[in-house]
Each structure stands twice: as structure tokens, then as C-alpha cells.
Amino acid sequence: MNPITKLINLQTLASGDILQLKTYHFKGKTGTKKVYIQSNLHGGEIVGNAVIYELIKFFSQLNEDTLHGEIFLVPMCNPTAVNQRNLFFSTGRFSPYDGLNWNRIFWDYSHEKVNINKFVKDNLNLTKEEIQQNFLNQILIKFNNKLKSINQNRGISFSEHYRNILHSLSLDANYIIDLHSSSVKAIDYIYCFDSRQKNADYFLFDYGILMNKYDGNAFDEAFLNPWLILEKKFIQQGRNITFDVESWTLELGSGMTVNQASVNKGIKGIINYLSAKKMLNLDVIIPQKTTQFVNKNNLKHYYAPQGGIIRHRLSEGTKVTYEDVLYQLLSFPKNGDLPIIMEIKSVDEGIIYDVSINDTVNQGEYILGIFPHV
């Protein structure tokens, strides 16, 4: 089964060159579900591209009877960010045009002036499938009307133009999978939304962050938030419905590097998840243990109490208890005293999930983060 490929013009540059996205589309003989998978939304988070490459090879070897529905894959989904450089470093976390985080720019249908309560009342006695289709239709109508309202003479910001392109590819999906990695050094983990924890287990990750509060227009969040609101509205009316709509962010290791173990975990998890969702007619690996989740607002972050040089820092994946020395901070006071070394001890129990990559820090700079009690 060969993918259908398409080039999408993203941005015309002052030089006359054109930045483009390339999509890979697999379509089975049967099924109506759609999964949308993208990678490299942030410039330095490149590992997802290797995952998509391996997925394209894997899906290409399948026959059309094995796939039920359609799969859209978009590697290097943000060439503007991918190509940003500062000496040897990939930056590309923030837009050079407006300073916005590339993953905080997306459109959330529920933030429009829409009456979800009226929708629930009008659809209360329909089947779950009918309700899901009707709500999706409303989202797509609202989005398409926004596109039609754009005045070409005024134009729109590049951030808005960019998000519109990604939404046009993904808004009608059942499932979206956004492949990231940490901007620093990190373990593999998954972002999950409330009421979707059970299905997260099929990705076969040990650890996850539960999005227990709205964080602000991230790609996965903006996609799923209207559906979560709709589910809560139906519960208030006595119907407990979970729609077949999900979004996931996979954090696959560290930035600016491709760790093969992280690549393998991403591939294995995505294939198993799609098999569990009956999009792939393949055996499902039944999770032997559940993903251990930490609420996002319970993450513990450590910052430098003063400037200096970090020594003997514990690495990502290390389990810590109270009073464990997390790192030493070597400082050179200007008041004539000898250099000093401070020992920074943990005030939490858990696992270190990410650490910064620069051993020279100013006061207040990020050092590491801990998943507590896991």
C-alpha cells in the first residue's frame, strides 16, 4: 500500500523561495476513522521525524485490508522552526514573527461564541455517533467560515495562517498524535486528558502527565477541549457519553537528538494504539501495567538559587527521595572569598523526568523537573 503524497505551500519568502509541507496519506478499503500524526512542531524536537519515517515504511508494507480508515502523516510540520539556528543550536520554540510559542497558537472551537448548551438540548436523544457527527459538522462550518472571512488585502499573521493549515488537515480526525521531545534532556512520557487514561495504556509508556486544567491553546488541547466540554454538558443532562475522539502528545526523549530507544517506543506505541482502536487489523499488545500519571500542576521544578556551574547533577530517569543530593552548584563570589560549592537536595520523592542541558546557570534558570511519588 503506497501513500498518496501532497505538497502544501506554507510560506513565500522574500527571496522568492517557498516553504512547503509534505503529507503522506494512507487509506484502507474500509473504515471511516482518521488519525492525524505530525512531528517537529518545535524546531529542536526532531525525533518524531524518525518515528514517522519508520511508520511510513511500516504502513507501506501493509495491504489495504489491514487498514480500516485513513492515516495522515506530516513530518517536519514546521519548517520555519526546523530551520531556525543559533550557532550549533536549534532554537525554533518561539515564532520569530511574534514571539509566540509555536504550540500555543491553535484555535479552540469552544472559545468562539457558540451555544453548546443548545446543541446538547437539540441532540440529547440521538445516538452517540449521530451526536459526534453533528458536533464535528458545527466545528468544521465555524472553521471554514473563519477562513472565508479573511480579507486578502489585510492579510493575517503568519502564526494564524500556519495554524489554519494544520487545522485544515486535522480537525476532522478521530485521533491526533503530536510527536514532541523535550527541549532539554528527558525520559519518554505521554500527555493525556481526563477520561482518556485507559486508552493511554496502549501506547505502552511508563509515565504520563495528566492535563487536569486548561494550559492554553496547545495543538492537542485545542483539538480535544470542545469535545471534553460537550461530554461534561451531556453528563449534566444525565447522559454519560465518551466520544471516539482523542488527542495525544508523545514526548520522546531529548531535543536536538534522535535516541533510537525513544524512536522504537514511539513506533511500537502508535502501532499498538491504532490496533487497539481497530484501525489496524493487527494483534494488540495488552498492557501489563498502567501508565503512572502525574497531574500537570503537581510537577516539581527546580531552579538555580544563585548563579554558578552545575556539577554531579543526577540524570533523567533517576528515582529520588527526600534529602537526596540532586546537584552541586559551584559559585565564585566577587567579595574575595574562596569559591564555594552548594549541595542542592531534593524536597520531593519521585523520578527526575527532565534536566537542562547547560551546566552554567544564572540565578533563576531551570535545572530539572520531578514527577512526584512515582
Side-chain angles (χ1 to χ4, degrees):
M1 179 172 53
N2 294 320
I4 301 168
T5 60
K6 182 179 179 181
L7 288 175
I8 300 173
N9 289 345
L10 177 63
Q11 185 182 32
T12 302
L13 304 179
S15 62
D17 297 296
I18 299 176
L19 290 181
Q20 296 176 310
L21 301 180
K22 188 169 185 179
T23 64
Y24 299 80
H25 179 206
F26 293 89
K27 188 172 180 61
K29 283 186 177 180
T30 62
T32 59
K33 291 184 181 182
K34 173 180 173 179
V35 61
Y36 171 87
I37 305 173
Q38 69 177 23
S39 63
N40 221 163
L41 181 56
H42 287 135
E45 301 178 16
I46 60 175
V47 66
N49 299 317
V51 173
I52 288 184
Y53 165 72
E54 296 293 345
L55 289 174
I56 291 171
K57 288 202 306 179
F58 179 83
F59 296 142
S60 296
Q61 296 170 359
L62 303 178
N63 59 56
E64 293 177 339
D65 294 326
T66 306
L67 173 59
H68 305 292
E70 53 186 324
I71 300 172
F72 271 85
L73 301 112
V74 187
M76 293 202 175
C77 75
N78 190 349
T80 303
V82 171
N83 291 318
Q84 286 180 252
R85 288 289 188 276
N86 187 350
L87 193 58
F88 304 113
F89 298 97
S90 295
T91 50
R93 186 171 184 83
F94 301 95
S95 167
Y97 301 106
D98 53 25
L100 296 176
N101 184 327
W102 284 115
N103 201 19
R104 294 296 184 274
I105 62 173
F106 292 99
W107 177 73
D108 184 333
Y109 171 73
S110 65
H111 290 175
E112 299 290 329
K113 294 180 180 179
V114 294
N115 192 337
I116 296 181
N117 288 322
K118 183 179 185 305
F119 176 88
V120 171
K121 181 179 178 181
D122 292 343
N123 291 264
L124 187 60
N125 297 317
L126 299 183
T127 67
K128 181 174 74 171
E129 292 73 21
E130 289 172 328
I131 297 169
Q132 182 169 324
Q133 186 60 55
N134 289 345
F135 194 63
L136 174 60
N137 289 342
Q138 285 205 4
I139 292 174
L140 296 177
I141 289 171
K142 177 66 73 172
F143 176 71
N144 288 324
N145 285 341
K146 287 180 71 67
L147 295 184
K148 292 176 183 177
S149 70
I150 295 172
N151 186 302
Q152 296 303 320
N153 289 322
R154 291 196 188 100
I156 56 175
S157 71
F158 180 68
S159 291
E160 186 175 349
H161 170 69
Y162 173 65
R163 80 179 188 191
N164 287 345
I165 289 178
L166 293 192
H167 282 317
S168 69
L169 298 172
S170 63
L171 275 178
D172 63 341
N174 292 83
Y175 320 119
I176 64 168
I177 301 174
D178 197 9
L179 301 178
H180 285 250
S181 56
S182 176
S183 295
V184 291
K185 295 188 291 185
I187 63 172
D188 303 316
Y189 58 95
I190 187 171
Y191 279 97
C192 175
F193 293 87
D194 200 23
S195 78
R196 301 310 196 266
Q197 294 94 318
K198 183 177 180 180
N199 288 331
D201 293 341
Y202 289 110
F203 284 100
L204 308 173
F205 278 65
D206 293 328
Y207 304 106
I209 294 176
L210 184 63
M211 298 294 293
N212 60 320
K213 65 176 184 177
Y214 196 88
D215 195 42
N217 298 97
F219 184 74
D220 58 351
E221 192 171 24
F223 172 83
L224 189 60
N225 188 53
W227 296 96
L228 296 176
I229 292 173
L230 183 64
E231 290 173 357
K232 291 177 182 177
K233 297 289 186 181
F234 270 102
I235 289 174
Q236 292 171 4
Q237 297 300 318
R239 287 196 66 180
N240 192 349
I241 300 176
T242 301
F243 296 104
D244 192 21
V245 181
E246 297 175 357
S247 62
W248 311 94
T249 292
L250 274 56
E251 294 282 351
L252 299 171
S254 306
M256 295 186 293
T257 187
V258 178
N259 181 290
Q260 191 57 44
S262 296
V263 174
N264 293 342
K265 181 174 283 288
I267 298 165
K268 184 177 181 180
I270 291 171
I271 292 172
N272 194 56
Y273 172 78
L274 296 181
S275 300
K277 287 296 184 179
K278 302 188 184 305
M279 289 192 68
L280 296 176
N281 187 25
L282 300 172
D283 292 336
V284 178
I285 300 173
I286 305 301
Q288 297 301 306
K289 58 181 180 179
T290 60
T291 305
Q292 297 183 63
F293 283 105
V294 175
N295 288 343
K296 190 174 190 300
N297 60 342
N298 287 338
L299 297 174
K300 306 302 180 184
H301 300 123
Y302 287 71
Y303 299 88
Q306 64 182 51
I309 298 173
I310 297 173
R311 302 185 66 201
H312 308 299
R313 173 170 35 189
L314 297 181
S315 61
E316 66 276 15
T318 303
K319 290 189 175 182
V320 295
T321 59
Y322 297 115
E323 296 295 309
D324 284 350
V325 177
L326 298 175
Y327 64 95
Q328 293 180 341
L329 187 60
L330 170 62
S331 297
F332 295 87
K334 296 293 187 179
N335 58 5
D337 294 336
L338 294 174
I340 60 173
I341 290 181
M342 299 174 57
E343 286 192 340
I344 307 300
K345 297 181 179 181
S346 178
V347 293
D348 304 285
E349 291 188 343
I351 184 171
I352 298 174
Y353 74 95
D354 71 357
V355 298
S356 63
I357 58 176
N358 195 338
D359 284 343
T360 302
V361 294
N362 297 322
Q363 181 179 350
E365 289 186 5
Y366 183 71
I367 304 296
L368 58 83
I370 293 178
F371 285 151
H373 306 298
V374 296

